[in-house]
Structures are given as structure tokens and as C-alpha cells.
Amino acid sequence: MGPELHFQMIINRSAELREQAADHRRAREVEKARKSQAGGVRRRSLFGKISAA
């Protein structure tokens, strides 16, 4: 494999990885926004609400 072809493959792969990272970052931001819109109320399980008598 020639150096030019290898260099082009590296450029393409790095662009793909940057795109994946951007998608992942956007997904985390959306999840964070959804959690903040929920009013910050944590939902507890049934067993978390029952107190030991």
C-alpha cells in the first residue's frame, strides 16, 4: 500500500470517528435535556417507598 493511499485511509477513518463522536455527544445532550425537562423528579421503586415497620 502506497503512502498516499495509507494517508487517505487515515484521513477517512479519523473523519468517521469524529462523526461518531459528534453523534454520541448529541445523544448525551438530548438525554441530559430530557432529564432536566422532567423536573428533576426521580422516580423511586415501590420498595423504596415502603418503610420497614
Side-chain angles (χ1 to χ4, degrees):
M1 180 181 325
E4 295 87 15
L5 182 58
H6 187 255
F7 183 66
Q8 191 63 37
M9 287 177 60
I10 291 171
I11 290 173
N12 289 340
R13 182 66 180 145
S14 64
E16 290 172 2
L17 291 173
R18 279 191 213 105
E19 185 178 341
Q20 288 177 359
D23 291 343
H24 184 68
R25 187 170 34 257
R26 276 187 237 117
R28 284 194 332 242
E29 289 173 358
V30 166
E31 184 178 339
K32 186 177 178 182
R34 285 182 184 161
K35 286 182 180 180
S36 69
Q37 287 177 356
V41 177
R42 289 188 180 185
R43 298 181 185 195
R44 299 176 70 189
S45 69
L46 175 65
F47 297 111
K49 294 181 180 180
I50 297 174
S51 62

